[in-house]
Amino acid sequence: MDKQQSRVFSLFFQGSLVKQILVGLVAGILLAWLAPDIAKMMSLLGSLFISALKAVAPILVWVLVMASIANHRQGQKLNIRPVLVLYLLATFFAALTAVVASFMFPSVLTLVVNESQLTPPENIAEVLKGVLINVVANPVDALINGNYMGILAWSIGLGITLRHANDNTKVLVQDLADAVTNLVRVVIRLAPIGIFGLVSSTIATTGFEVLAGYAQVLVVLIGCMFFVALVVNPVIVFWKIRSNPYPLVFACLRESGVTAFFTRSSAANIPVNMAMCRRMNLDEDTYSVSIPLGATINMGGAAITITILTLAAVNTLGMPVDLPTALLLSLVAAICACGASGVAGGSLLLIPLACSMFGISNDVAMQVVAVGVMIGVLQDSAETALNSSTDVLFTAAACIAEDNRIVDNPLTEKNDG
């Protein structure tokens, strides 16, 4: 019996995580179909998994970034600048793709909501002000509330000062980072159970009937995200690594995108991306900074959501839009997306800001936000999958380009066992 239990334990913790997630997905759908009342009670499993990810992610980012900088050796290159360039390029081109799609397939919304309790920012200056305030937030408060701008600022500052500490202190910081990393691996292995609970309870509770009234705008949204994931981003990666980008693209979508689709939080998916970077044997000094940074500013999916829903509102109200205005919207959407929160639905509150470019009142803009909430079952999931998977994609592309090497199958580089 002990031997059999050992085999089951080994299969669960060392087997293919993707296959286990697919099993959890199918099981969740079947349970919601056959026994919806029982499926609704499974929400606890999903809530526990998401809570565990959100609890461990801030600590992981804090200690990994701090340890990486503190133990950085003089003359050792960090690829943060090229990763940052890729993030910004991809976000802008995602917004531009959304503009083109909105002109090709104009959507109309049914704006019937009169009020909302949400308080969106009023202009870009307010978004940037919020980012700066988050940077100088109290470090304990940043950890508690998952303020990743504040966490990054404090961990970078401490890492720089700890570079002058003695070797024993640096070893202690690295040991702490390794311990948290090992704890995160255990949490990630519980993803199949968490996704089973999320899928079964969501389908049993809401179904997809709410999406029928907004089928076109939803198709345009998700279609743009697929196009960016499978065409735009691969072109950017090819420009960077000068080789076939699709093995890397599909690996990132499979390993990172699937989990992010169900967690609906770039921040919660940080541990998953960290583990994938480790399996790909990327430079830890690079990905320990670029992954949490990407969860904060690499928001191509958010740029798509902001652009398409804003232009849908413009089209509904019969407002003409010329090419220069559309290009300006792409730039504004990209900037706004970089200020979007790394939690579920974070991009929706920035829609009124983009709507203000066209003189659309805040009351009407908040109706558009309400539409986004209604279709958020799929929209926000697809948005997060795109955002989070590209964090790993562009980090890997920058590392590969720096090493001047081609990775045909990056996931075979190192076993995460």
Side-chain angles (χ1 to χ4, degrees), residues 85-154:
V85 170
L86 292 177
Y87 284 168
L88 298 179
L89 275 177
T91 301
F92 174 73
F93 282 121
L96 194 59
T97 299
V99 168
V100 174
S102 294
F103 276 100
M104 294 176 62
F105 309 101
S107 302
V108 177
L109 305 176
T110 302
L111 303 178
V112 294
V113 183
N114 293 320
E115 59 184 358
S116 175
Q117 299 298 321
L118 299 176
T119 55
E122 297 179 356
N123 49 53
I124 295 178
E126 188 174 339
V127 174
L128 297 177
K129 177 183 176 181
V131 171
L132 291 177
I133 290 176
N134 286 336
V135 167
V136 296
N138 180 285
V140 177
D141 181 73
L143 284 171
I144 293 174
N145 295 309
N147 169 16
Y148 286 90
M149 292 300 295
I151 292 171
L152 279 172
W154 281 98

Side-chain angles (χ1 to χ4, degrees), residues 235-250:
V235 170
I236 295 174
V237 173
F238 175 79
W239 165 74
K240 189 67 179 178
I241 67 176
R242 303 296 179 181
S243 64
N244 181 12
Y246 282 100
L248 184 59
V249 169
F250 290 139

Side-chain angles (χ1 to χ4, degrees), residues 70-264:
N71 290 283
H72 177 67
R73 297 184 297 275
Q74 290 290 340
Q76 185 178 4
K77 291 185 177 181
L78 289 176
N79 300 321
I80 301 302
R81 183 179 297 177
V83 176
L84 184 60
V85 170
L86 292 177
Y87 284 168
L88 298 179
L89 275 177
T91 301
F92 174 73
F93 282 121
L96 194 59
T97 299
V99 168
V100 174
S102 294
F103 276 100
M104 294 176 62
F105 309 101
S107 302
V108 177
L109 305 176
T110 302
L111 303 178
V112 294
V113 183
N114 293 320
E115 59 184 358
S116 175
Q117 299 298 321
L118 299 176
T119 55
E122 297 179 356
N123 49 53
I124 295 178
E126 188 174 339
V127 174
L128 297 177
K129 177 183 176 181
V131 171
L132 291 177
I133 290 176
N134 286 336
V135 167
V136 296
N138 180 285
V140 177
D141 181 73
L143 284 171
I144 293 174
N145 295 309
N147 169 16
Y148 286 90
M149 292 300 295
I151 292 171
L152 279 172
W154 281 98
S155 57
I156 290 172
L158 285 173
I160 292 173
T161 56
L162 285 172
R163 291 183 64 180
H164 305 288
N166 60 52
D167 292 340
N168 290 334
T169 301
K170 293 180 180 180
V171 171
L172 177 63
V173 171
Q174 186 59 51
D175 287 343
L176 178 61
D178 293 339
V180 174
T181 300
N182 290 330
L183 179 62
V184 168
R185 289 179 197 155
V186 176
V187 175
I188 292 174
R189 296 306 305 194
L190 299 176
I193 299 175
I195 287 175
F196 165 75
L198 286 170
V199 172
S200 59
S201 60
T202 299
I203 295 178
T205 302
T206 65
F208 294 100
E209 293 82 1
V210 72
L211 307 177
Y214 298 99
Q216 179 175 341
V217 68
L218 185 61
V219 168
V220 174
L221 273 168
I222 297 180
C224 279
M225 293 176 191
F226 270 105
F227 184 82
V228 169
L230 300 176
V231 178
V232 176
N233 287 346
V235 170
I236 295 174
V237 173
F238 175 79
W239 165 74
K240 189 67 179 178
I241 67 176
R242 303 296 179 181
S243 64
N244 181 12
Y246 282 100
L248 184 59
V249 169
F250 290 139
C252 292
L253 289 173
R254 183 176 66 248
E255 296 291 320
S256 174
V258 170
T259 307
F261 183 89
F262 295 105
T263 63
R264 296 175 61 190

Side-chain angles (χ1 to χ4, degrees), residues 294-310:
T296 305
I297 68 169
N298 182 32
M299 294 288 177
I304 291 172
T305 297
I306 294 168
T307 301
I308 287 180
L309 288 179
T310 298

